[in-house]
């Protein structure tokens, strides 16, 4: 997977170029991931304009979409798959509340100190696997990514690291990427995410916030992804069974995905 040097879209990455066994790779220019598109400016961003995006999948909550509406390239269609819809009525969901939680160090310490941030993220990642809203969102992602008619496709959440990171992991696992590659690609977003949120982190720590809490919220960690992978293993036994039984994606769709994206 390669970073794409967009000037108006944070954390834009092409799944293309990711190495696969047997000397194969993921085809470039067809499936991309990013943070939110609220600052997209095609006139000032020839990199994104040149992608020719035809489908955008937005994994954000209704509140996130209302606060920071995407700017969609002309001719592209938008599909919404709210990954966290089933999770929001229960505990706090840090993946959707980064900015709120980093605005008040005292509130952050109360809710997220002492390792609670890491525990909340692990729980949220398990919900990516087991909640109905997440299953519907990732079923949509795989179905669209397998369809040549979807054209170049971009999927995203807010920072492009958690909900989006799991989507990328599922696709790459189905294409045959090994565990080491999956983890390396998952973690590779950290520099871009930390750069995008640097002013927020600096403000939080300057106001007395715990740097460990800020990093737990802003970054991605192996333990987060392992929580989701372990949930797949516990509930389904394999990624293929999770996709077939949990997501309800037909084997023919997975084969179409491989035929389209593996080169």
């Amino acid at each position: 997977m390669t970073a794409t040097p967009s000037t108006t879209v944070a954390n834009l990455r092409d799944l293309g170029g990711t190495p696969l066994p047997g000397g194969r790779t993921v085809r470039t220019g067809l499936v991309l991931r990013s943070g939110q598109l609220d600052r997209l400016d095609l006139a000032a961003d020839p990199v994104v304009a040149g992608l020719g995006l035809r489908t955008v999948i937005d994994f954000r909550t209704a509140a996130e979409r209302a606060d920071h509406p995407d700017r969609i390239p002309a001719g592209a269609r938008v599909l919404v798959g709210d990954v966290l819809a089933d999770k929001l009525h229960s505990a706090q969901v840090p993946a959707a509340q980064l900015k709120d939680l980093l605005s008040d160090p005292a509130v952050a310490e109360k809710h997220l100190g002492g390792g609670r941030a890491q525990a909340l993220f692990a729980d949220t990642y398990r919900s990516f696997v087991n909640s109905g809203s997440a299953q519907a969102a990732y079923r949509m992602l795989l179905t669209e990514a397998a369809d040549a008619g979807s054209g170049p496709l971009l999927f995203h959440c807010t920072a492009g690291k958690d909900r989006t990171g799991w989507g990328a992991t599922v696709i790459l696992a189905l294409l045959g990427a090994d565990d080491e590659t999956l983890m390396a690609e998952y973690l590779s977003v950290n520099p871009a995410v930390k750069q995008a949120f640097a002013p927020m982190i600096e403000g939080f720590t300057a106001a007395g916030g715990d740097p460990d809490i800020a990093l737990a919220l802003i970054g991605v960690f192996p333990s987060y992804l392992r929580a989701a992978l372990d949930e797949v293993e516990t509930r389904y036994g394999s990624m293929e069974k999770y996709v077939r039984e949990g997501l309800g994606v037909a084997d023919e769709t997975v084969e179409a995905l491989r035929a389209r994206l593996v080169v």
Side-chain angles (χ1 to χ4, degrees):
M1 193 184 297
T2 53
T4 303
S6 167
T7 55
T8 66
V9 178
N11 198 15
L12 179 64
R13 300 179 66 80
D14 189 342
L15 271 63
T18 303
L20 301 173
R24 299 169 302 161
T25 60
V26 179
R27 196 181 304 273
T28 59
L30 291 181
V31 180
L32 301 100
R33 57 179 289 187
S34 73
Q36 61 197 21
L37 306 182
D38 60 319
R39 297 182 181 179
L40 175 61
D41 182 347
L42 292 181
D45 201 336
V47 167
V48 180
L51 295 174
L53 294 174
R54 291 179 59 188
T55 301
V56 173
I57 295 181
D58 189 343
F59 285 152
R60 296 177 300 166
T61 65
E64 290 173 295
R65 298 193 306 272
D67 287 346
H68 298 279
D70 275 352
R71 296 179 179 176
I72 303 298
R77 61 187 180 128
V78 182
L79 302 172
V80 173
D82 184 344
V83 170
L84 296 174
D86 288 351
K87 184 76 176 154
L88 282 175
H89 68 271
S90 57
Q92 283 187 319
V93 183
Q97 297 173 327
L98 285 172
K99 294 175 182 177
D100 291 342
L101 290 167
L102 286 180
S103 65
D104 188 330
V107 171
E109 180 63 38
K110 177 181 176 182
H111 291 287
L112 301 173
R116 286 189 291 271
Q118 291 85 345
L120 272 173
F121 266 101
D123 184 59
T124 298
Y125 271 70
R126 285 188 288 270
S127 81
F128 293 167
V129 177
N130 62 41
S131 81
S133 58
Q135 290 170 349
Y138 294 120
R139 178 167 59 248
M140 175 197 297
L141 173 63
L142 294 181
T143 301
E144 294 294 330
D147 183 356
S150 294
L153 177 153
L154 172 73
F155 63 102
H156 77 89
C157 50
T158 291
K161 67 186 186 76
D162 299 305
R163 290 162 284 186
T164 298
W166 178 243
T169 297
V170 174
I171 290 176
L172 294 175
L174 289 176
L175 298 182
D178 60 29
D179 291 346
E180 185 178 344
T181 299
L182 293 178
M183 184 61 74
E185 295 301 342
Y186 170 73
L187 295 174
S188 65
V189 303
N190 269 328
V193 173
K194 288 175 180 175
Q195 180 180 13
F197 286 98
M200 199 178 302
I201 297 172
E202 290 164 7
F204 178 77
T205 54
D210 183 346
D212 288 340
I213 291 178
L215 286 174
L217 289 174
I218 294 302
V220 293
F221 294 86
S223 61
Y224 296 175
L225 183 60
R226 288 196 196 103
L229 292 171
D230 288 348
E231 187 74 2
V232 166
E233 184 65 29
T234 299
R235 285 180 175 258
Y236 300 101
S238 70
M239 185 67 77
E240 287 74 16
K241 285 190 69 178
Y242 157 66
V243 169
R244 185 186 306 118
E245 299 173 11
L247 303 186
V249 174
D251 292 345
E252 299 79 52
T253 301
V254 174
E255 288 307 316
L257 181 79
R258 291 170 176 154
R260 183 171 184 240
L261 295 183
V262 176
V263 64

